[in-house]
Amino acid sequence: MKTVEIHKPSTWVKYKPELCKGCFAGCCTLPVLVTAEELFHLGFLKFDEVTGPLKRHAERLKKKKIIQSYNSRTHLFTLYQHPNQDCVFLTKDRLCSVYENRPSICRTFPKNSKRPGFCPHQTLGKGTEK
Ligand code: SF4
Ligand code: SF4
């Protein structure tokens, strides 16, 4: 059987919702781009901060390890990833700790993935290639 490699979409498997249960959640180790509005819904920006200059807030959120970068051209933030590339909101049980307010890029995955309709599914505990 072919080994799934998270950064090689050609090795990904065809997505089916039932695959998510008991999955290692490789999708939550890919970079996640979010808007200021989404950071507001996650509770990391105040309402009036969303419309003002974002660079200063980006520096604060970087220090807090909520984001790892901010692109002033696109006005998009990249969520912080731990050294093993796990999303800042991924729990030890490989679940999303902010599921109700998760960003839209997470809600639409894998329709919007590098290989639409496919994802880096791997059974929890099996280990992954990165
Ligand atoms: S990698 Fe695929 S199967 Fe696993 S949690 Fe993400 S979307 Fe679900
Ligand atoms: S916000 Fe939640 S669903 Fe999105 S990548 Fe992080 S842990 Fe996964």
Side-chain angles (χ1 to χ4, degrees), residues 27-30 32 79 87-90 95-99 102-103 106:
C27 54
C28 298
T29 69
L30 297 168
V32 176
L79 288 183
C87 170
V88 62
F89 300 123
L90 190 63
L95 298 172
C96 178
S97 62
V98 294
Y99 191 77
R102 70 197 185 287
C106 306

Side-chain angles (χ1 to χ4, degrees), residues 76-128:
L76 291 173
F77 302 79
T78 303
L79 288 183
Y80 179 78
Q81 288 175 276
H82 293 292
N84 66 357
Q85 300 187 336
D86 280 358
C87 170
V88 62
F89 300 123
L90 190 63
T91 69
K92 284 194 179 128
D93 300 330
R94 316 298 297 169
L95 298 172
C96 178
S97 62
V98 294
Y99 191 77
E100 292 302 316
N101 293 313
R102 70 197 185 287
S104 76
I105 195 173
C106 306
R107 290 174 193 268
T108 49
F109 191 91
K111 276 189 202 154
N112 57 351
S113 77
K114 284 194 173 163
R115 191 178 173 197
F118 288 74
C119 74
H121 164 74
Q122 195 141 19
T123 307
L124 190 57
K126 213 173 151 195
T128 55

Side-chain angles (χ1 to χ4, degrees), residues 34-37 39 52 54-55 70-77:
V34 299
T35 62
E37 287 80 7
L39 285 174
L54 295 170
K55 217 169 170 182
Y70 169 63
N71 184 325
S72 54
R73 194 175 49 81
T74 60
H75 304 296
L76 291 173
F77 302 79

